[in-house]
Amino acid sequence: MWVMTRTDKEVIFWESLTGSRHVHLKDGQPVTYKYTHVGCVFNDSTFYANVQTTDQVQHCVFDLDDEAKWKPMSTMKMKLIKKQPAMALHASTIDVVALEEALEASLINLIQEHRDSLGLTCAWNTDFGYLLAQALCSYEHQKCFGVVIDNRYFESAVKAHVRDGYTFKGYPMQFAHSNERRMFSAFMQSRTCKDIVEAVGQVATHCVRVKCFVYAENVVSVWVMLAVRFKGTPDS
């Protein structure tokens, strides 16, 4: 669902979350945007059903006064429609900080056990996690609002903490659950994450950072960043 405004000259679509605008037609030609089909148009007092031969947005005509294209619903019938009571959403009861700390500790243990099984030592850099958290917040914001965040400050901070002659590798993953074993299984199915978990190098240190974003009804978005810093180049 999106917002539409009309004037005598143009039809404009608005993305309600970001405020971005898209002109329906530019110089009489369809414009590329993410809206594909439209079945109806409505506001607080009117409702129009799309009865055109196609419901593809690019080919629709938005002349709502043309009943051959838009079938209006009787205003009398609309008044008879019984309004549904507003449904209240329950606030989240999740302790975000406790969940993040528990997941980080569990994932560190799982990675440690996996490296031990391969005969690999493992050192952890907890200070680096504060930098990774900045990137994870940006990723969630981008997912929610579709706005690309400038990560130059994050990249500059990473470069400042990775000395000359060292290599940094990091990879984020998003989950809609808080099961650490399922997360670890997903890591090991990703070639990039598996390489980070099993990385071998001089003075290699690993880091795991978890950021949880909770929403109504205890819906949770969990972002995990796995990272490793080691001396040398990726191919050395």
Side-chain angles (χ1 to χ4, degrees):
M1 186 168 63
W2 66 94
V3 177
M4 179 183 74
T5 56
R6 297 186 307 143
T7 66
D8 294 337
K9 296 182 179 179
E10 63 182 358
V11 174
I12 300 175
F13 302 137
W14 300 82
E15 182 57 44
S16 59
L17 290 177
T18 64
S20 59
R21 63 193 297 272
H22 307 278
V23 178
H24 177 225
L25 299 176
K26 188 173 184 180
D27 297 328
Q29 299 298 319
V31 180
T32 300
Y33 36 71
K34 65 180 181 179
Y35 311 122
T36 57
H37 298 78
V38 56
C40 63
V41 173
F42 62 91
N43 59 18
D44 62 327
S45 59
T46 59
F47 184 98
Y48 296 89
N50 187 358
V51 293
Q52 299 176 68
T53 56
T54 178
D55 64 352
Q56 294 183 14
V57 176
Q58 289 184 334
H59 302 295
C60 284
V61 176
F62 288 89
D63 180 3
L64 302 183
D65 296 323
D66 187 348
E67 292 193 17
K69 295 180 172 60
W70 296 94
K71 184 67 174 178
M73 186 174 184
S74 167
T75 54
M76 183 62 69
K77 289 183 178 179
M78 289 192 65
K79 291 179 179 179
L80 295 175
I81 296 176
K82 184 179 180 180
K83 293 185 178 180
Q84 298 296 320
M87 182 179 295
L89 296 176
H90 296 287
S92 174
T93 58
I94 297 175
D95 186 333
V96 177
V97 175
L99 179 59
E100 290 175 349
E101 292 177 348
L103 285 174
E104 284 184 10
S106 298
L107 290 171
I108 287 174
N109 287 335
L110 290 171
I111 293 173
Q112 185 81 54
E113 290 174 1
H114 180 75
R115 289 181 64 85
D116 288 344
S117 70
L118 299 176
L120 302 174
T121 58
C122 193
W124 297 95
N125 185 336
T126 55
D127 295 335
F128 216 75
Y130 294 102
L131 297 179
L132 303 184
Q134 175 184 338
L136 297 181
C137 290
S138 297
Y139 299 149
E140 178 67 9
H141 190 277
Q142 182 175 335
K143 279 281 189 179
C144 288
F145 305 110
V147 178
V148 178
I149 305 299
D150 189 347
N151 278 326
R152 285 180 297 177
Y153 294 113
F154 168 67
E155 293 171 357
S156 298
V158 170
K159 290 178 180 178
H161 283 75
V162 177
R163 294 176 291 175
D164 291 340
Y166 281 75
T167 293
F168 169 83
K169 287 184 178 181
Y171 193 83
M173 293 188 76
Q174 183 191 27
F175 303 94
H177 60 82
S178 55
N179 186 307
E180 66 275 9
R181 292 194 176 276
R182 287 172 58 191
M183 292 177 183
F184 183 73
S185 177
F187 295 150
M188 301 310 292
Q189 293 174 25
S190 164
R191 177 61 183 272
T192 302
C193 287
K194 191 170 186 292
D195 288 344
I196 292 174
V197 171
E198 299 178 353
V200 178
Q202 299 181 51
V203 201
T205 55
H206 284 77
C207 181
V208 175
R209 183 59 169 172
V210 176
K211 284 297 294 181
C212 298
F213 303 88
V214 296
Y215 300 95
E217 303 290 339
N218 282 342
V219 172
V220 61
S221 171
V222 181
W223 283 91
V224 182
M225 175 85 83
L226 296 183
V228 63
R229 181 183 63 180
F230 57 88
K231 190 174 183 180
T233 62
D235 298 326
S236 62

